[in-house]
Amino acid sequence: MLTCEGAARAYYHCMRILLDTLLPRTCLMCASPAGESNLCPGCLTDLPRLSATCSRCALPLPANDQAICGACSKHPPPWHYAVAACDYCFPVKQLVRRFKFNRSLSCGEVLMSELLTRLDACSNRLPAVIAPVPLHRLRHFTRGYNQADLIARRLGRVNGIQVISDLLQRTRRTRAQSGLDAAERRRNTRGAFKFNPRFRTACPDSVALVDDVMTTGATLEACSRVLLAAGAKEVSVWVAARAPPP
């Protein structure tokens, strides 16, 4: 006998099949026929997935996965490990931009699925809590949603991990990070985040910070330092895409 949850899943699955039959999906990149992945087989195969990466900064390495690059050996980031699904180049860059600025949830689904697959492959440590990088309330209002929060909720739902969307709060509206060099990005995010005082007496021991893209890591570094200062013992970073530092 089906439970209520099982019946809901069966209904959802049947509705998806029906809708895909009546309104076939087309590839987000080339408009060819596509299935549930929202990409045709060719475009799905061509995604620039990351495999061997530095375990601290998630930049590609020529050798074994989960090793540590020379830069992180000399100057390790404040978080303990990082996971990135794809290289931030075509077509991932286009998927991220459409998800973030054009409200394309289909593009977001592709990025979420890729990050889930990457996490299954390389991370055997699951955190107690997942926290998205927060948007300033004005930017959240104009955009309509926080793309990092949507990714975090999907990851939490699949892995059975609690998501606390307001664990961190953005205290001021910063300039857009695009176009800034590494030093400017760090100055831009300095003091821009705070730990939510509502959780001050119960900071989780381990937290996964979630964002769509990491470039220099300045934003994630600022968030990580706030979490560690609040009492977190381990902070990890999960991103859909990793860009080379500018």
Side-chain angles (χ1 to χ4, degrees), residues 179-221:
L180 304 181
D181 62 26
E184 290 171 331
R185 287 174 181 238
R186 287 188 173 85
R187 285 195 295 270
N188 191 39
T189 56
R190 189 175 298 137
F193 303 94
K194 71 174 183 178
F195 190 78
N196 190 334
R198 188 158 63 90
F199 303 102
R200 180 64 65 183
T201 59
C203 179
D205 284 339
S206 57
V207 182
L209 273 172
V210 171
D211 208 355
D212 52 354
V213 181
M214 173 163 57
T215 305
T216 64
T219 299
L220 292 160
E221 180 177 332

Side-chain angles (χ1 to χ4, degrees), residues 108-165:
E109 282 292 325
V110 174
L111 299 170
M112 295 175 203
S113 295
E114 291 299 317
L115 183 49
L116 279 167
T117 300
R118 180 64 175 150
L119 285 167
D120 286 342
C122 69
S123 178
N124 55 9
R125 292 181 292 176
L126 292 178
V129 162
I130 297 175
V133 171
L135 285 179
H136 188 270
R137 61 184 179 275
L138 292 179
R139 188 162 290 166
H140 193 292
F141 176 77
T142 56
R143 189 174 295 174
Y145 62 87
N146 178 3
Q147 73 282 353
D149 184 52
L150 294 183
I151 297 173
R153 290 182 181 280
R154 172 73 179 277
L155 300 179
R157 185 166 62 251
V158 172
N159 291 291
I161 304 172
Q162 181 185 12
V163 177
I164 304 180
S165 298

Side-chain angles (χ1 to χ4, degrees), residues 27-51:
C27 178
L28 293 167
M29 302 311 303
C30 70
S32 297
E36 289 189 2
S37 65
N38 293 306
L39 293 176
C40 69
C43 289
L44 188 61
T45 301
D46 290 342
L47 284 178
R49 298 178 177 90
L50 294 171
S51 53

